[in-house]
């Protein structure tokens, strides 16, 4: 199947302080870490995507857990690994879509493309209740967050006015992680959000998403709590770079990725994850921030 990517209107993503407080109070409860034991009273329509590929073990674990809990899940994810592409989208041209299994689609594009393709086809008549991206193979904390295709897919959904959650699983030295435990946590988290909907509240405030990272505990035990966090400031580093080339020449730069667990900002996700806590970081669908009072006013006045 091939289809042309249409232009879609963008919904402004607004972050409300009251909504953040509501989400914090709800998600701060230890109950958020527990899977639902009786299934949701009103199953949610969920779009599930990732950046590791449609048949990766992480997304498969989350899909199976959500379906087992009674939700209506449509998996629409990249055909191949698209890690590290952030929110990159294909602006024009065509994408190839395959339907390898019931309820599952793959697309020859990025995670953001997958979200847009799903919203333009499967969910063209009615948007999903919730978009979940992951679980990713490896944590998306600190500087990795902005480059993450997992988070990029969630941000794409936020900019469409949809509630979205990015989920990642910390990996060990053998490249494996607790995907099943992460999936159970996702089920419990969704159950908590669904309770808010039953109480007449939205699943999440418009424009507010969650970046969730599930820890790998050395002894295989349960996480040591849940932490509401901020994005840390681990950095990309160029190592063994050698020298720059002469005019007309070339040289090779080796890129290394460093995510230090040292707390660089108060309440950093990297520090909490290193302490074996599940981290939940509120994210928005755009780059807007509330400026410090008077700072930009003085700047604009000076420019005038």
């Amino acid at each position: 199947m091939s289809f042309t990517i249409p232009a879609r209107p963008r919904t402004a993503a607004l972050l409300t302080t009251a909504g953040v407080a509501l989400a914090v109070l709800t998600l701060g409860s230890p109950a958020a870490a527990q899977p639902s034991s009786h299934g949701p009273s009103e199953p949610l329509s969920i779009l599930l995507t990732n950046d590791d590929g449609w048949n990766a073990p992480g997304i498969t674990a989350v899909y199976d857990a959500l379906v087992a809990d009674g939700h209506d899940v449509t998996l629409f994810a990249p055909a191949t690994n698209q890690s590290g592409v952030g929110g990159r989208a294909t602006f024009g041209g065509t994408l190839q879509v395959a339907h390898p299994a019931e309820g599952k689609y793959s697309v020859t594009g990025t995670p953001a493309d997958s979200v847009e393709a799903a919203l333009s086809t499967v969910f063209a008549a009615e948007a999903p209740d919730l978009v979940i991206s992951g679980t990713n193979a490896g944590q998306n904390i600190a500087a990795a967050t902005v480059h993450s295709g997992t988070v990029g897919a969630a941000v794409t959904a936020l900019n469409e006015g949809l509630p979205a959650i990015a989920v990642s699983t910390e990996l060990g030295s053998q490249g494996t992680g607790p995907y099943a435990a992460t999936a159970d946590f996702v089920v419990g988290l969704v159950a908590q959000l669904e309770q808010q909907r039953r109480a007449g509240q939205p699943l999440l405030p418009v424009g507010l998403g969650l970046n969730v990272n599930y820890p790998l505990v050395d002894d295989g035990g349960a996480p040591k709590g849940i932490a509401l966090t901020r994005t840390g400031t681990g950095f990309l580093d160029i190592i063994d770079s050698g020298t720059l080339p002469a005019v007309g020449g070339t040289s090779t730069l080796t890129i290394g990725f460093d995510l230090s667990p040292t707390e660089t900002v108060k309440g950093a996700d990297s520090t909490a994850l290193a302490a074996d806590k599940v981290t939940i970081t509120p994210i928005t669908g755009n780059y807007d921030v509330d400026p410090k009072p008077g700072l930009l006013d003085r700047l604009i006045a000076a420019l005038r």
Side-chain angles (χ1 to χ4, degrees):
M1 174 181 179
S2 175
F3 65 91
T4 301
I5 302 173
R8 293 180 57 83
R10 302 296 169 183
T11 303
L14 304 175
L15 180 62
T16 65
T17 303
V20 173
L22 174 63
V24 169
L25 288 173
T26 302
L27 297 173
S29 167
Q34 302 301 319
S36 171
S37 59
H38 304 292
S41 60
E42 296 182 13
L44 298 180
S45 170
I46 297 175
L47 166 58
L48 180 64
T49 191
N50 73 348
D51 72 358
D52 292 325
W54 73 273
N55 60 347
I59 195 172
T60 300
V62 174
Y63 178 88
D64 291 345
L66 289 171
V67 169
D69 204 49
H71 296 289
D72 180 11
V73 185
T74 299
L75 188 156
F76 212 119
T80 59
N81 191 309
Q82 297 290 312
S83 296
V85 301
R88 189 179 75 188
T90 304
F91 295 104
T94 61
L95 299 174
Q96 302 298 314
V97 180
H99 192 6
E102 186 65 31
K104 298 183 178 183
Y105 298 86
S106 68
V107 60
T108 57
T110 66
D113 289 336
S114 299
V115 172
E116 295 290 6
L119 297 181
S120 298
T121 54
V122 177
F123 297 101
E126 184 174 0
D129 296 315
L130 178 66
V131 176
I132 298 176
S133 181
T135 183
N136 183 67
Q139 61 267 42
N140 280 305
I141 55 175
T145 303
V146 72
H147 302 289
S148 164
T150 301
V151 178
V155 168
T156 298
L158 291 174
N159 278 326
E160 294 286 5
L162 299 173
I165 303 170
V167 185
S168 302
T169 301
E170 187 177 21
L171 299 184
S173 59
Q174 301 301 313
T176 59
Y179 295 129
T182 305
D184 285 344
F185 181 85
V186 171
V187 169
L189 174 57
V190 170
Q192 290 289 317
L193 297 178
E194 204 273 331
Q195 286 183 23
Q196 293 186 174
R197 190 173 76 162
R198 291 202 299 266
Q201 302 291 333
L203 293 177
L204 287 167
V206 176
L208 173 68
L210 303 176
N211 181 29
V212 177
N213 283 272
Y214 195 92
L216 173 66
V217 182
D218 288 339
D219 62 4
K224 296 177 174 59
I226 303 170
L228 182 68
T229 54
R230 299 174 59 193
T231 302
T233 56
F235 56 93
L236 288 167
D237 190 22
I238 298 177
I239 60 175
D240 298 330
S241 59
T243 59
L244 291 175
V247 175
T250 61
S251 65
T252 299
L253 302 180
T254 301
I255 307 298
F257 194 60
D258 175 32
L259 284 174
S260 172
T262 302
E263 185 169 280
T264 51
V265 297
K266 184 176 178 57
D269 51 6
S270 49
T271 304
L273 191 67
D276 291 335
K277 295 181 179 180
V278 178
T279 69
I280 299 179
T281 306
I283 58 175
T284 60
N286 54 43
Y287 291 108
D288 290 353
V289 298
D290 292 328
K292 294 181 179 179
L295 175 64
L296 293 185
D297 291 336
R298 292 192 296 273
L299 174 63
I300 297 301
L303 290 173
R304 287 173 177 165

